[in-house]
Amino acid sequence: MKKSIIEKAHDFILKMPSFLEKIVAAILLVGVAYSCIQLGIHVVSLTELAFDEYIEDILITAFNAVIVIEFIRMLIKHSMNTIVEVLIFAIARGLVVGHEAPLETMIRIVCIAILLACRKYLFYEKDFEEEM
């Protein structure tokens, strides 16, 4: 049986967000590839920064690339596991490269522990199916 124009429009509207997410993921992938190339060049180049600032700059760039890669996975896979991983990486970035007060650091650690506990005890097996 032929679909009506309204049904075709409805199907198109339902498919469009997924298509747009994949376009955004492709654009982000190009950007993160460029960032990784820049990171490689930055690592081997001589710099005028002090060693501590140099390492911090490399860590910030690397963590940003990893977070964007995880975000791309989240856009493509749509699983709860990828969402939690993105959150964990984003919070961990602040722990590694941030220089916050001890209370803020403790809050970040507790947040990561809560996310890991949720991942272990509250997720069903189907939440991990897309990654297998």
Side-chain angles (χ1 to χ4, degrees):
M1 180 159 51
K2 277 185 134 178
K3 287 186 175 182
S4 71
I5 294 174
I6 294 175
E7 289 173 335
K8 288 180 184 178
H10 180 70
D11 289 344
F12 176 76
I13 290 170
L14 288 177
K15 291 178 184 177
M16 189 52 104
S18 178
F19 177 71
L20 291 174
E21 285 175 344
K22 288 181 180 42
I23 289 174
V24 169
I27 292 168
L28 287 172
L29 193 58
V30 170
V32 81
Y34 176 75
S35 176
C36 289
I37 292 169
Q38 291 295 335
L39 177 62
I41 291 170
H42 185 64
V43 167
V44 297
S45 69
L46 296 174
T47 182
E48 297 175 6
L49 293 174
F51 183 73
D52 292 344
E53 293 171 355
Y54 176 71
I55 294 296
E56 185 176 332
D57 192 38
I58 289 173
L59 283 174
I60 289 170
T61 306
F63 260 107
N64 287 341
V66 168
I67 290 169
V68 171
I69 290 168
E70 289 298 320
F71 184 71
I72 291 169
R73 278 187 45 210
M74 183 184 75
L75 286 175
I76 300 295
K77 293 194 175 191
H78 293 289
S79 72
M80 289 302 296
N81 192 36
T82 56
I83 293 169
V84 169
E85 285 179 3
V86 168
L87 292 172
I88 289 171
F89 277 116
I91 295 169
R93 178 194 179 276
L95 280 173
V96 174
V97 298
H99 302 289
E100 291 124 4
L103 180 62
E104 293 173 6
T105 301
M106 186 63 170
I107 290 171
R108 286 181 187 268
I109 291 170
V110 169
C111 288
I112 290 175
I114 290 170
L115 286 170
L116 290 173
C118 288
R119 185 174 175 208
K120 180 167 178 124
Y121 297 111
L122 298 180
F123 284 8
Y124 296 109
E125 288 298 319
K126 68 178 180 168
D127 293 325
F128 299 99
E129 286 177 2
E130 285 186 283
E131 295 186 336
M132 295 181 188

